Amino acid sequence: MLGRTANGLYWMFRYIERAENIARLVDAGQRMSLTRSDAVDDDWDGVLQSAGVREAYDEVHNKLTGTDAIDYLMRDRSNPSSVMSCIEYGRNNARMVRTALTRDTWEATNECWIELKSLLGKKLKTAELPETIDVIKRRAGLIRGAFHGSMLRNELYNFARIGTFIERADNTARILDVKYYVLLPSVSHVGSSLDNAQWESILRSVSAHRAYKWAYDPEYKPANIADFLILNGQMPRSLAYCYEKIVSNIGYLSAEHEKKLPAHDTAEAIRQSLQKLTIKRIMDQGLHEFLEDFVAHNNKLGAEISDGYRFYE
C-alpha cells in the first residue's frame, strides 16, 4: 500500500475519533460545571488544558468565558482540534482515499460533514449543546459502523483501526485528566458527594455509566472509575482495551509486510506496562502524572508509525 493511502486512512479515523471525543470533553466540562453551585468561567480552564489548546485559546480570546470556550472547542475553524475542523479534515482525508473506502463508509462520512456544517454554522445556545453533542456521537458511530460492517479485513482496515485506537486512548486519558484540573472547593470535599458527582460526570461523558455498574459496585468510587477507564480490558474506551486493539492490528501489518518496526516494540511495551499496573500503584504515583506520561508514550507511538510506514512519501 502507498504510504499516502495509509496516511489518509489513519488520519481520517483519528480525526473522526477526535471530533467525537472533543464533544465528549465539552460534555464532561459542562456536566462538572453544573455540579458546582459556584460554577465560574475559570472551570473551563481545565477543559481547555486537557484538550491541549489553552495557549491557542488565549491567542484568539482576551478573556476566558464558558461560552467562548465551548465555541472554540466546538466550531472555531482557527482551532485545528475543534469538532468542526476535525470533521472537515476527516472528510478531506476520506475524499483523498475515496477509492480505498466502501460506498457506505464514504456516504456516512460525507453526510456527517453536511449535517455538522449546518448545525455548527452558528454559535450554539446552551440549551442546544446536549442535542448537538448527541448528533456528533451518533454520526461518528455511523461512520465506524459503516466501515466495520463493509470493509475487507486487510491492511486498509488495520491502519484505520490503529488510528482510531491511538486517538481514543489519547482522548480517554485527557477526559480523565479533566478531573485533576477541575478542582474541588477544598481538600475536605475529597470523597464527598460533590467529588463523587464529578467522577460520575466523567463516566457519563464516555457513555460508561451503566457499564460501570455492571462491572463494579453501584457506588461511585474514584479508584474504581479510574480502574475502569485505564485498566479494564472489557471497557472499549479504556487504555488497556485500546492497546489490545493497537497491538493486534499492528501485528497483522507486521505479518503482512514480514517486517518488524520500532513501533511494534513500543506498542507491545505500553500494552505490557498496562497489564502489570494496578490502580493502587497509579494512584500512589499520581493520576495526573501517570496520564501525562501515558499521553507522551502514545504520541511517540503515533510518530513511529508515521515514520515506519512512510506516511509522507
Side-chain angles (χ1 to χ4, degrees):
M1 182 197 295
L2 290 174
R4 185 169 176 270
T5 305
N7 175 50
L9 283 163
Y10 172 86
W11 277 105
M12 171 192 167
F13 280 89
R14 282 201 71 161
Y15 282 127
I16 297 299
E17 188 72 23
R18 187 176 301 177
E20 178 183 349
N21 282 287
I22 289 293
R24 290 181 181 277
L25 194 63
V26 171
D27 190 31
Q30 180 75 344
R31 286 176 185 276
M32 283 201 180
S33 176
L34 293 174
T35 63
R36 297 175 58 161
S37 58
D38 60 341
V40 293
D41 288 334
D42 285 349
D43 287 346
W44 287 93
D45 176 69
V47 178
L48 292 168
Q49 289 199 46
S50 293
V53 295
R54 184 64 180 93
E55 291 181 7
Y57 172 89
D58 285 339
E59 292 174 7
V60 180
H61 297 281
N62 295 324
K63 184 182 174 187
L64 175 58
T65 68
T67 305
D68 286 342
I70 291 171
D71 191 67
Y72 188 72
L73 289 167
M74 295 291 285
R75 56 184 292 277
D76 195 326
R77 300 296 182 95
S78 71
N79 172 14
S81 292
S82 73
V83 171
M84 196 59 239
S85 294
C86 288
I87 292 294
E88 190 140 314
Y89 296 150
R91 192 247 189 184
N92 288 344
N93 275 275
R95 190 166 55 181
M96 183 175 78
V97 295
R98 172 72 186 85
T99 55
L101 294 172
T102 60
R103 180 177 175 178
D104 287 0
T105 307
W106 164 250
E107 287 184 352
T109 306
N110 200 40
E111 286 167 6
C112 171
W113 174 72
I114 291 169
E115 182 170 9
L116 291 183
K117 196 176 174 187
S118 171
L119 265 180
L120 299 175
K122 57 180 174 48
K123 207 163 188 173
L124 293 171
K125 296 176 182 172
T126 304
E128 296 171 332
L129 189 59
E131 174 58 24
T132 304
I133 289 172
D134 282 347
V135 170
I136 295 163
K137 290 190 287 188
R138 189 161 59 243
R139 281 294 180 184
L142 285 172
I143 295 170
R144 281 195 302 273
F147 183 80
H148 195 74
S150 62
M151 288 291 293
L152 282 176
R153 269 35 176 184
N154 56 13
E155 58 182 339
L156 299 174
Y157 182 83
N158 297 138
F159 277 113
R161 296 290 280 174
I162 292 167
T164 295
F165 286 107
I166 284 185
E167 188 66 31
R168 184 175 296 179
D170 179 272
N171 284 279
T172 293
R174 290 178 188 276
I175 288 173
L176 200 47
D177 211 23
V178 170
K179 183 66 179 73
Y180 168 82
Y181 283 111
V182 179
L183 299 176
L184 292 165
S186 71
V187 176
S188 65
H189 284 76
V190 173
S192 67
S193 57
L194 174 60
D195 191 25
N196 289 340
Q198 290 185 344
W199 280 104
E200 181 189 353
S201 298
I202 292 285
L203 277 180
R204 289 187 183 278
S205 71
V206 293
S207 305
H209 179 250
R210 183 168 296 179
Y212 171 83
K213 291 190 174 182
W214 290 336
Y216 298 84
D217 293 333
E219 185 182 349
Y220 296 115
K221 295 179 181 175
N224 282 351
I225 294 172
D227 182 75
F228 190 45
L229 295 178
I230 295 172
L231 301 177
N232 191 314
Q234 294 181 313
M235 167 57 185
R237 291 192 171 274
S238 74
L239 308 188
Y241 183 91
C242 290
Y243 264 83
E244 287 297 328
K245 295 299 177 187
I246 290 168
V247 168
S248 67
N249 279 281
I250 207 170
Y252 292 132
L253 292 178
S254 173
E256 177 77 20
H257 293 268
E258 298 181 346
K259 188 177 180 182
K260 198 170 180 184
L261 302 169
H264 295 93
D265 293 332
T266 301
E268 182 60 35
I270 296 173
R271 179 176 74 158
Q272 287 188 14
S273 73
L274 289 169
Q275 287 175 337
K276 292 174 184 172
L277 276 171
T278 64
I279 198 61
K280 183 176 183 310
R281 280 182 58 192
I282 291 173
M283 290 301 202
D284 288 346
Q285 171 191 343
L287 181 60
H288 174 64
E289 288 72 17
F290 166 80
L291 293 171
E292 268 194 332
D293 191 49
F294 174 84
V295 168
H297 282 90
N298 196 51
N299 287 342
K300 178 189 171 194
L301 175 61
E304 287 178 349
I305 288 172
S306 175
D307 290 342
Y309 289 102
R310 301 176 179 178
F311 278 3
Y312 301 105
E313 291 184 7

